[in-house]
Amino acid sequence: MKLEPEYREGLEELAVHYKNVLGLLGEDPSREGLLKTPMRVAKAMQFLTQGYTQDAHQVLNSALFKEDYSQMVIVKDIDFFSLCEHHMLPFYGKAHVAYIPNGYITGLSKIARVVDIFAHRLQVQERMTLQIKECIEQTLHPLGVMVVIEARHMCMQMRGVEKQNSITTTSDFSGAFNQAKTRQEFMNLIHSNA
């Protein structure tokens, strides 16, 4: 049996606010189907924003290993879900992260955890891309880092322009990835089917 995660301070107050929101939307918060909704939404929001309580640098440092490997390390197709800070609607997709070690490597799962930590905050895709790159850069001090994120934004699909098939791609890079040849190698590898 899975235990409920620990929730942060303010959970009860958050639920009260969501109950008020239901009323302001024209619903009856005392209706049977909505009785537990305010608390469910409060818990969901705390889960979806748990990245505010996590330290991505610490995650990388917890699995730091001295290694003389100096070729590209890529973790691709990292699924993520986040909330856009403008409408608090989900955006989701895949992150692709590469770094070229400079004496130290980190556990591969830690790269995915870094993506999750920054995704579990109110975000814009551009900032999230930069934060992931900077975290790896500042913690591992590699020869270069590159991050590419491809995402679908519900704020564009459910409202506004209502474009169902649009995908937003962002990238950021540093160091060795400033060379077009190195960037191209990374792009070829993340889009290969192998």
Side-chain angles (χ1 to χ4, degrees), residues 125-168:
Q125 183 174 331
E126 297 88 343
R127 181 188 320 118
M128 187 173 126
T129 305
L130 176 66
Q131 288 173 328
I132 294 165
K133 183 208 74 170
E134 286 181 342
C135 177
I136 294 167
E137 198 171 50
Q138 293 165 3
T139 308
L140 299 180
H141 306 288
L143 298 174
V145 182
M146 185 160 179
V147 177
V148 172
I149 296 179
E150 301 167 310
R152 294 181 182 274
H153 291 251
M154 298 306 283
C155 59
M156 283 183 62
Q157 293 178 305
M158 294 176 67
R159 55 159 303 284
V161 296
E162 296 185 54
K163 299 301 176 203
Q164 304 308 310
N165 298 307
S166 65
I167 295 174
T168 301

Side-chain angles (χ1 to χ4, degrees), residues 42 44 64 67 69 120 126 139 157 159 173 178:
L64 201 57
E67 192 61 54
Y69 186 78
H120 280 90
E126 297 88 343
T139 308
Q157 293 178 305
R159 55 159 303 284
F173 51 87
N178 283 311

Side-chain angles (χ1 to χ4, degrees), residues 49-69:
T49 60
Q50 66 186 336
Y52 289 121
T53 65
Q54 299 169 332
D55 184 339
H57 296 276
Q58 183 180 357
V59 166
L60 288 177
N61 277 322
S62 72
L64 201 57
F65 308 102
K66 185 152 184 56
E67 192 61 54
D68 287 332
Y69 186 78

